[in-house]
Amino acid sequence: LLDDARRRDFTCNSLMVNLKDGRLMDLLGIGLDDLKERVLRTPLDPRQTFFDDPLRMLRAVRFKHQLGFNYAHGLTESIRDESHRLKAISAERIRDEFTKMVGCPDALRELAALHLMEHIIPELLAMQGVEQGKWHHLDVWDHTLLVIQNAATTDMILNLACLLHDVGKPPTRSVDEKGETRFFTHEVVGAD
């Protein structure tokens, strides 16, 4: 049982219940405290935990933003350092975890900052820093996150539409002879 507890993703998920007497067991001795304090800590060294299943890095971001947890000291750095391991995970598993976060701008921002987004939808990263001209006060990325926030929906299709509505702007951006920023055919490129 102790070995099983150590192989869990986070200490708060290592708690067990004795099926005979209903007694709660915290074999690691910190799982219950971490759950109460809403701290995400890996039972083993984070790099080992993320090596065993890299999808746990996405789960960490989701738990933080969806369930209100905070990372234990060093977890952010471990995720960033091990982010390349996400490419070993099947697209279906990544999709299942990602779709649970697509309506949360803060989670999307963190996926980008932790170098995880480059293994999910790398085209989104190109939106960062792309200025949109005088009609927008935000770059394409921050504008997109604001659209998601303003939509405030749990409808995944609508959230994906919000997320991808300007994905074609970076490759189509131009500035005309008057200095106006243009994105001709960005909707076609985005649809492709």
Side-chain angles (χ1 to χ4, degrees), residues 132-143:
Q132 299 191 81
K134 66 182 181 183
W135 302 110
H136 291 276
H137 67 286
L138 299 172
D139 70 5
V140 177
W141 176 243
D142 288 329
H143 162 77

Side-chain angles (χ1 to χ4, degrees), residues 87-99:
K87 60 187 166 195
I89 298 299
S90 72
E92 294 81 8
R93 290 186 70 211
I94 291 172
R95 176 208 56 215
D96 290 347
E97 198 62 43
F98 180 72
T99 56

Side-chain angles (χ1 to χ4, degrees), residues 105-145:
D106 290 336
L108 297 171
R109 187 174 280 112
E110 187 155 357
L111 289 171
L114 294 174
H115 305 290
L116 294 166
M117 189 66 81
E118 62 197 62
H119 306 291
I120 303 170
I121 306 177
E123 295 83 358
L124 297 178
L125 298 176
M127 296 194 292
Q128 295 176 333
V130 176
E131 179 267 329
Q132 299 191 81
K134 66 182 181 183
W135 302 110
H136 291 276
H137 67 286
L138 299 172
D139 70 5
V140 177
W141 176 243
D142 288 329
H143 162 77
T144 296
L145 297 178

Side-chain angles (χ1 to χ4, degrees), residues 21-191:
D21 61 16
R23 184 175 43 98
L24 180 66
M25 297 183 295
D26 183 2
L27 299 175
L28 300 177
I30 57 173
L32 193 55
D33 287 341
D34 283 351
L35 180 61
K36 288 177 184 174
E37 294 174 24
R38 305 191 85 63
V39 172
L40 283 177
R41 181 185 331 274
T42 57
L44 300 174
D45 177 89
R47 285 169 180 79
Q48 179 63 49
T49 298
F50 298 145
F51 181 85
D52 290 345
D53 185 355
L55 193 72
R56 292 169 172 170
M57 294 181 286
L58 293 184
R59 289 171 53 83
V61 174
R62 181 168 63 86
F63 287 178
K64 177 181 178 185
H65 294 284
Q66 193 177 65
L67 303 175
F69 278 79
N70 293 300
Y71 299 144
H73 178 74
L75 199 66
T76 300
E77 295 78 11
S78 295
I79 293 171
R80 192 174 292 118
D81 291 347
E82 296 299 314
S83 63
H84 67 279
R85 298 256 325 120
L86 197 57
K87 60 187 166 195
I89 298 299
S90 72
E92 294 81 8
R93 290 186 70 211
I94 291 172
R95 176 208 56 215
D96 290 347
E97 198 62 43
F98 180 72
T99 56
K100 296 173 185 174
M101 292 183 274
V102 75
C104 180
D106 290 336
L108 297 171
R109 187 174 280 112
E110 187 155 357
L111 289 171
L114 294 174
H115 305 290
L116 294 166
M117 189 66 81
E118 62 197 62
H119 306 291
I120 303 170
I121 306 177
E123 295 83 358
L124 297 178
L125 298 176
M127 296 194 292
Q128 295 176 333
V130 176
E131 179 267 329
Q132 299 191 81
K134 66 182 181 183
W135 302 110
H136 291 276
H137 67 286
L138 299 172
D139 70 5
V140 177
W141 176 243
D142 288 329
H143 162 77
T144 296
L145 297 178
L146 184 61
V147 169
I148 293 168
Q149 178 181 319
N150 289 340
T153 180
T154 58
D155 182 319
M156 187 188 61
I157 300 299
L158 184 54
N159 280 325
L160 283 171
C162 293
L163 180 65
L164 300 173
H165 83 279
D166 277 344
V167 73
K169 279 190 171 181
T172 61
R173 184 180 186 276
S174 64
V175 179
D176 67 19
E177 63 282 346
K178 295 179 183 177
E180 299 285 333
T181 301
R182 304 288 187 204
F183 299 98
F184 294 117
T185 69
H186 80 275
E187 70 284 358
V188 175
V189 171

